[in-house]
Amino acid sequence: VLAYATSHLSGGQMNPAVSLGLALSGTLGPLQAAANMLAQLVGAILGSSFLYATVPHAAASTLGSNAIARGVSTGNAFVGEAVMTFVLVSVVLETAANRKSTARAQAPLAIASLRPACRLPAGFAVFCAHAVMLPIDGCSINPARSLGPAIV
């Protein structure tokens, strides 16, 4: 929903990994990418601050911070996050940024919706990443989403 709502403003970018991928592919200029990433990080810190101010006993809360599950190594979690972030960025690049894509108007659906089967041609990258990574480390696939609660 947020990707659809903000696509006309920032291309629906809410993830520094996606902004970096767009910059490296030449779709987004380096200055705009840096500005977007800074705004995403500041927004995550502000959002976590608002959450802290809203949640009773927030000082005892994790505010949604990621935590690696018992029995999972840091390396396993890192590789999982790297692979799933790569999947997300790839889907964004191929659906929203690729000029040959016929799915541009539906790109947010391919990027962030729910579907039981996780086949990349059908998209739904965020759901697929969460289905795999939630039990491992809470699933971030977004550096801003992890940094905000960690700082607050």
Side-chain angles (χ1 to χ4, degrees), residues 5 11 26 32 35 43 47-48 52 56-57 61 86 88 90 92 94 99 114 118 121 127 134 139 146:
Q32 185 65 56
S48 295
Y52 183 84
H57 311 293
S61 169
F86 173 80
L88 170 62
S90 296
V92 170
E94 292 304 322
R99 292 185 181 157
L114 302 177
C118 293
F127 171 74
L134 273 174
C139 192
S146 295

Side-chain angles (χ1 to χ4, degrees), residues 64-129:
S65 293
N66 294 75
I68 298 172
R70 191 176 320 170
V72 176
S73 74
T74 303
N76 293 135
F78 180 81
V79 169
E81 288 290 338
V83 168
M84 291 303 167
T85 301
F86 173 80
V87 168
L88 170 62
V89 172
S90 296
V91 170
V92 170
L93 290 173
E94 292 304 322
T95 60
N98 189 327
R99 292 185 181 157
K100 295 180 182 179
S101 174
T102 59
R104 290 180 116 181
Q106 289 79 32
L109 187 63
I111 296 161
S113 289
L114 302 177
R115 180 175 179 187
C118 293
R119 294 178 296 144
L120 286 182
F124 306 86
V126 171
F127 171 74
C128 292

Side-chain angles (χ1 to χ4, degrees), residues 8-89:
H8 67 288
L9 299 171
S10 68
Q13 293 176 52
M14 292 167 267
N15 186 332
V18 171
S19 296
L20 179 62
L22 291 168
L24 292 175
S25 72
T27 305
L28 187 64
L31 200 56
Q32 185 65 56
N36 289 4
M37 287 188 273
L38 179 63
Q40 292 155 354
L41 294 171
V42 169
I45 294 166
L46 285 173
S48 295
S49 298
F50 294 146
L51 185 61
Y52 183 84
T54 304
V55 173
H57 311 293
S61 169
T62 64
L63 297 177
S65 293
N66 294 75
I68 298 172
R70 191 176 320 170
V72 176
S73 74
T74 303
N76 293 135
F78 180 81
V79 169
E81 288 290 338
V83 168
M84 291 303 167
T85 301
F86 173 80
V87 168
L88 170 62
V89 172

